[in-house]
């Protein structure tokens, strides 16, 4: 059996592999990260690791898994070490990230997580808990107070269960100890992610202690961010291939593209690393960056996921390798682009070109099925806001509506070849119930548009939107996605 990557075999790795160049014993944990999935390990952790490599040893990370022990079991036996494998075409670079000091599994030790959040060393809490992890209504951003875990945290924070619950419990402990709040940085693809996180935290804090809520409101910081790096889920084949190269097995490896961008609103409650030195953009207004990224990159991704998924196209690069796939993406961008107010420094034409190159990166093997997950949480900011903006300007929404119609067909759980699949989405039961008994595409469109957790009522009432969706859905159902694209 191959040994696992660990401190004991770091020195025997191939020379081309970059190990952490700092004394790990001297590092303090200045960051708690909630939701230690693949993206965090390839994005924010790489920045904190760069700060450590630069000699600022305040930025070690305590990772927290809010649900399963999987990542803890991958990382802790490896002393927290893992490989960041950056792939482009035939090229691959491997860097060992050493920033993560430990991983806690919140359901096993909720009190230890709260204690960690209250540590005087901690200044920053980052989150990648997926869109659904914030427990917000996707259309309105209101906290889902009826949800079991949210209701539990609203009743008592003795053993929190949700991300907002942990943050409030940690902030309460800091206030009692006379410590400043940490800066809570949402790194999920939520619209106005900082504002939504702040709202969720304040709603929960208010319920427990209005004075605490006021303290958080006054002294806390929830900067908005735009995060970008394509990080597909790691597969067993990725791990096996890396083991041959390293001579040791790394179960915690992550793979990513070379591109990485992090734009953070310059609003912090206390200390932070010299972010700008490590390639992070600090700005007064993240919204235009976020909007461009969500509507161009993520909007296209979701369209590719549903159309590609229905057509049996497994990977993003395969979709854009087809002329009709590429044409769909370009047309979607033509439509989305008219709704943007790009920030200085963002050239949309160049950005589109770069995005297409990124989507074409065949070494990433980014599955359309992975992107299709949780569509109910993603559609509002990726496609529906864009549609609403175009309709407000009196414009048609032909290609954007095709992407939404493909999502609608996806809710049926059957692809164009007749194969069934599970719709992986927190609202899957609601979309399935809405579709039950519908006899025509027009009825299916009407039933799904009526779900106001996803579709704003004004959009659902727009006749042109409805008729365009119906026409697309009819064609998707009768001819399949590939024929519609062609
Ligand atoms: P992942 O599947 O590797 O990790 C997801 C993490 O979220 C895990 O720690 C999981 O336990 C946690 N989580 C899932 N559902 C949750 C829930 N209901 N409540 C609390 N925690 C929950 O996924 P990955 O790739 O790390 O992506 C996570 C998020 O990061 C995405 O949803 C997105 O918002 C953001 N992101 C991801 C990018 C990517 O390319 N992978 C790029 C940009 C942003
Ligand atoms: C993708 C994103 O899974 C998805 O929904 O669209 O995670 C995408 O890879 C990132 O936003 C890129 O930064």
């Amino acid at each position: 059996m191959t040994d696992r990557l660990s401190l004991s075999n770091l020195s025997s790795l191939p020379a081309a592999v970059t190990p952490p160049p700092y004394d790990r014993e001297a590092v303090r944990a200045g960051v708690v990260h909630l939701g230690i999935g693949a993206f965090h390990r390839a994005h924010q952790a790489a920045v904190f690791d760069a700060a450590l490599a630069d000699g600022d040893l305040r930025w070690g990370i305590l990772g927290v898994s809010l649900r399963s022990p999987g990542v803890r079991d991958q990382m802790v036996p490896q002393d927290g070490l893992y490989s960041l494998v950056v792939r482009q075409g035939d090229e691959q670079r491997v860097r060992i990230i050493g920033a993560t000091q430990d991983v806690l599994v919140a359901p096993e030790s909720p009190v230890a997580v709260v204690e960690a959040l209250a540590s005087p060393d901690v200044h920053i809490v980052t989150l990648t808990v997926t869109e659904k992890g914030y427990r917000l209504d996707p259309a309105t951003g209101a906290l889902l107070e009826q949800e079991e875990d949210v209701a539990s945290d609203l009743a008592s924070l003795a053993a929190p269960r949700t991300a907002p619950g942990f943050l409030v419990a940690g902030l309460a402990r800091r206030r009692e100890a006379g410590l400043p709040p940490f800066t809570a940085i949402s790194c999920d693809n939520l619209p106005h992610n900082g504002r939504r996180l702040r709202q969720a935290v304040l709603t929960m804090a208010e319920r427990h202690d209005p004075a605490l809520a006021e303290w958080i409101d006054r002294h806390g910081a929830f900067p908005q961010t735009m995060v970008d790096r394509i990080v597909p889920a790691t597969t067993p084949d990725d791990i096996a291939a890396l083991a041959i190269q390293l001579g040791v097995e790394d179960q915690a490896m992550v793979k990513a593209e070379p591109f990485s961008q992090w734009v953070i609103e310059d609003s912090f409650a206390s200390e932070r690393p010299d972010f700008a030195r490590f390639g992070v953009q600090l700005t007064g207004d993240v919204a235009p960056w976020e909007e461009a990224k969500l509507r161009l990159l993520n909007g296209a991704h979701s369209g590719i996921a549903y159309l590609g998924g229905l057509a049996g196209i497994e990977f993003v690069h395969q979709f854009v390798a087809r002329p009709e796939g590429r044409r769909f993406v370009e047309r979607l961008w033509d439509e989305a682009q008219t709704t943007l107010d790009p920030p200085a420094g963002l050239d949309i034409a160049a950005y589109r070109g770069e995005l297409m190159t990124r989507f074409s990166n065949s070494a990433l093997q980014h599955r359309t099925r992975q992107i299709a997950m949780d569509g109910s949480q993603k559609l509002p900011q990726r496609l529906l806001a864009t549609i609403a903006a175009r309709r407000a300007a009196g414009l048609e929404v032909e290609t954007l509506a095709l992407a939404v119609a493909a999502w609608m067909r996806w809710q049926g759980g059957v692809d164009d070849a007749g194969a069934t699949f599970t719709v992986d989405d927190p609202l899957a039961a609601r979309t399935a119930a809405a579709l039950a008994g519908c006899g025509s595409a027009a009825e299916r469109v009407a039933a799904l548009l009526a779900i106001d957790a996803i579709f704003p009522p004004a959009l659902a009432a727009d006749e042109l939107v409805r008729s365009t969706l119906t026409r697309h859905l009819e064609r998707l159902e009768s001819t399949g996605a590939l024929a519609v694209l062609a």
Side-chain angles (χ1 to χ4, degrees):
M1 210 174 73
T2 320
D3 285 344
R4 298 275 292 276
L5 172 70
S6 71
L7 284 175
S8 66
N9 51 40
L10 257 188
S11 57
S12 64
L13 296 178
V17 173
T18 317
Y22 46 85
D23 173 13
R24 287 185 92 226
E25 292 295 312
V27 171
R28 281 178 291 150
V31 182
V32 174
H33 181 79
L34 303 184
I36 181 156
F39 178 55
H40 167 73
R41 280 176 278 156
H43 186 267
Q44 306 98 66
V47 170
F48 293 118
D49 195 72
L52 298 175
D54 195 49
D56 184 353
L57 298 181
R58 294 172 297 168
W59 305 109
I61 302 166
L62 174 77
V64 177
S65 175
L66 290 179
R67 301 197 308 177
S68 71
V71 173
R72 188 262 319 271
D73 297 345
Q74 290 163 359
M75 293 188 75
V76 172
Q78 299 185 180
D79 302 314
L81 299 173
Y82 64 91
S83 314
L84 170 55
V85 180
V86 175
R87 289 186 188 163
Q88 172 78 56
D90 295 335
E91 287 172 29
Q92 169 166 307
R93 274 184 292 119
V94 182
R95 169 175 152 202
I96 307 292
I97 303 283
T100 309
Q101 299 187 299
D102 198 4
V103 180
L104 294 175
V105 179
E108 288 175 13
S109 28
V111 175
V113 174
V114 175
E115 277 165 7
L117 289 165
S119 155
D121 281 342
V122 167
H123 303 289
I124 291 180
V125 177
T126 46
L127 296 92
T128 54
V129 294
T130 78
E131 294 84 343
K132 63 185 175 296
Y134 293 80
R135 316 298 178 110
L136 305 172
D137 181 285
T140 65
L143 189 64
L144 296 170
E145 300 192 17
Q146 312 304 325
E147 230 193 43
E148 191 187 336
D149 291 342
V150 178
S152 165
D153 282 357
L154 285 170
S156 163
L157 286 173
R161 296 189 192 176
T162 67
F166 276 107
L167 294 181
V168 173
L171 287 164
R173 287 280 295 273
R174 296 182 78 88
R175 179 165 170 259
E176 284 159 21
L179 291 168
F182 44 69
T183 302
I185 309 181
S186 165
C187 300
D188 280 291
N189 290 319
L190 278 186
H192 318 300
N193 51 13
R195 199 156 80 208
R196 289 208 171 184
L197 178 60
R198 173 188 213 108
Q199 192 54 40
V201 165
L202 288 178
T203 304
M204 193 162 284
E206 179 74 34
R207 210 58 71 75
H208 288 281
D209 176 359
L212 171 66
E214 199 195 316
W215 180 79
I216 296 172
D217 193 26
R218 181 168 310 164
H219 303 289
F222 300 82
Q224 312 268 105
T225 66
M226 185 273 254
V227 286
D228 191 8
R229 185 171 218 176
I230 296 175
V231 185
T234 305
T235 66
D237 283 351
D238 293 325
I239 293 173
L242 185 68
I244 292 170
Q245 195 191 340
L246 296 188
V248 293
E249 186 181 80
D250 178 359
Q251 292 185 5
M253 68 158 278
V254 287
K255 59 175 174 179
E257 61 176 340
F259 182 93
S260 185
Q261 190 175 21
W262 194 3
V263 185
I264 311 181
E265 183 187 1
D266 197 353
S267 159
F268 292 84
S270 69
E271 294 171 41
R272 91 259 350 223
D274 185 358
F275 275 123
R277 195 172 158 81
F278 311 111
V280 176
Q281 294 162 254
L282 296 170
T283 171
D285 189 9
V286 173
W289 291 98
E290 174 197 275
E291 225 156 62
K293 192 253 175 175
L294 289 174
R295 293 183 185 183
L296 296 176
L297 190 161
N298 296 113
H301 251 180
S302 288
I304 291 170
Y306 299 116
L307 288 162
L310 290 169
I313 299 173
E314 191 176 4
F315 300 117
V316 172
H317 72 272
Q318 294 171 332
F319 188 99
V320 295
R322 307 177 76 104
E324 65 275 28
R326 185 174 281 251
R327 202 161 49 233
F328 160 79
V329 171
E330 293 287 359
R331 288 197 183 159
L332 186 136
W333 285 342
D334 289 343
E335 290 180 17
Q337 178 171 345
T338 63
T339 72
L340 299 174
D341 182 13
L346 181 61
D347 173 347
I348 294 289
Y351 186 60
R352 284 174 54 161
E354 188 177 34
L355 282 181
M356 194 60 93
T357 306
R358 292 171 61 195
F359 287 178
S360 306
N361 185 347
S362 59
L364 284 178
Q365 308 264 297
H366 198 189
R367 288 206 150 77
T368 51
R369 191 55 70 89
Q370 180 182 355
I371 303 167
M373 205 173 71
D374 293 346
S376 67
Q377 316 291 303
K378 295 175 175 174
L379 243 51
Q381 58 273 26
R382 295 180 178 207
L383 295 166
L384 305 182
T386 327
I387 290 178
R390 277 185 66 87
R391 292 302 296 133
L395 298 168
E396 49 76 25
V397 292
E398 200 57 30
T399 315
L400 291 157
L402 175 57
V404 177
W407 170 83
M408 290 179 155
R409 177 148 161 78
W410 188 260
Q411 302 314 299
V414 184
D415 71 13
D416 289 346
T420 57
F421 56 86
T422 302
V423 179
D424 191 345
D425 191 302
L427 296 188
R430 274 176 80 178
T431 56
L435 291 174
C438 290
S440 66
E443 284 173 27
R444 282 185 275 281
V445 167
L448 292 170
L449 282 178
I451 302 178
D452 63 5
I454 306 173
F455 295 96
L459 197 78
D462 184 323
E463 252 329 298
L464 183 110
V465 170
R466 183 177 297 249
S467 61
T468 311
L469 285 170
T470 305
R471 176 163 44 79
H472 285 317
L473 185 59
E474 274 165 357
R475 289 188 62 209
L476 286 170
E477 289 176 353
S478 60
T479 67
L482 273 186
V484 174
L485 283 172

